[in-house]
Amino acid sequence: KNEQRHIQQYTDALVQEIEMWGSQELLKERIISTVHFGGGTPLMLGISNLDRIVTALKHNFCFSSKTELAFETTSSMLTEEILASFNQLGFSRIHIGVQSLQEDVRKKIGRRESPKTVLEKIRCAVRFGWIVSTDVIIGLPGYRNPGILDDLDSLMENGVEGFSIYELVQSPRNRLFFDQFHLTEQPILDKFIMFQTAFQHLLKHGFENCLYNHLSKHRDKNLYFTSPSRHEDLLGIGTIAD
């Protein structure tokens, strides 16, 4: 009950802020290129609250037929019903936090779903016609080549059009995890080689480097992170969204 109350309070506050900014008439003349729900796990809000937020955004800001609605999620929270609901709301891009498809690695990082289930959910999003991107994290315990390259192949074969490849960063929140698997002892050169190998593998398969750590096919413009270079307006919705 407390969690639901907090979610409702957050939604109320967010809609109020959207309406406050929407009252600035000059903003209504500027087309929003993309709205990105991330910087957390937006599905925790529930479909009804997300519907309310999207409705408020469309009412208060300038959307066009080209405005892209996108969101991030873990695969465990994703269902076909959620995809169908988001499809009706106008979403067309999804970033699914995969990190690794190797069974042993997934167990170490606490991912509950099997690689097979993750790929099934990716295919479901692809069937809706969505742009699907995901992440592959260098530096996870036991995650090395050729496993990384095998994962890239599996994800490409199942329709993923964008990859964010980055290193697991140590923070106070995951310090014990780093200590448990001695991750600070990983040689920097080894991780650099894994980065370069993954990048070259994707380039060889027709992906292009559209940001320092993101490679994509032509449909995935990665608008959320690249729109400032085109002097476009975007909306980042989330507790730590940029």
Side-chain angles (χ1 to χ4, degrees), residues 71-201:
F71 76 103
E72 300 177 18
T73 182
T74 60
S75 63
S76 60
M77 298 190 73
L78 191 63
T79 65
E80 187 169 354
E81 291 75 21
I82 285 172
L83 281 170
S85 297
F86 273 58
N87 199 52
Q88 289 183 336
L89 289 174
F91 284 82
S92 60
R93 186 182 188 274
I94 182 173
H95 182 87
I96 303 174
V98 173
Q99 302 185 354
S100 171
L101 288 174
Q102 302 299 304
E103 191 76 64
D104 58 332
V105 177
R106 291 182 64 80
K107 287 179 180 177
K108 290 175 183 175
I109 63 177
R111 295 292 180 175
R112 298 187 297 273
E113 290 189 318
S114 69
K116 180 180 177 182
T117 299
V118 174
L119 292 174
E120 286 174 354
K121 292 185 175 183
I122 287 173
R123 289 195 297 273
C124 183
V126 171
R127 286 196 296 272
F128 275 95
W130 287 33
I131 297 167
V132 179
S133 73
T134 188
D135 50 14
V136 170
I137 299 183
I138 305 297
L140 295 176
Y143 196 32
R144 306 179 64 83
N145 296 332
I148 294 172
L149 300 185
D150 289 342
D151 287 354
L152 293 176
D153 287 339
S154 294
L155 292 164
M156 284 188 283
E157 289 167 6
N158 284 275
V160 173
E161 297 184 70
F163 289 91
S164 292
I165 302 176
Y166 54 90
E167 181 182 359
L168 182 66
V169 177
Q170 185 176 6
S171 69
R173 199 171 63 175
N174 63 17
R175 182 178 57 81
L176 293 178
F177 178 77
F178 265 73
D179 291 343
Q180 179 184 357
F181 293 103
H182 308 288
L183 298 184
T184 56
E185 300 171 13
Q186 290 183 323
I188 293 176
L189 182 58
D190 285 0
K191 289 187 284 188
F192 177 76
I193 291 172
M194 285 188 279
F195 263 112
Q196 290 298 321
T197 304
F199 269 61
Q200 293 303 316
H201 189 71

Side-chain angles (χ1 to χ4, degrees), residues 198-211:
F199 269 61
Q200 293 303 316
H201 189 71
L202 290 171
L203 291 171
K204 185 177 71 174
H205 284 81
F207 285 74
E208 295 183 355
N209 204 173
C210 70
L211 193 67

Side-chain angles (χ1 to χ4, degrees), residues 7 18 51 78 168:
I7 287 174
I18 290 168
D51 188 342
L78 191 63
L168 182 66

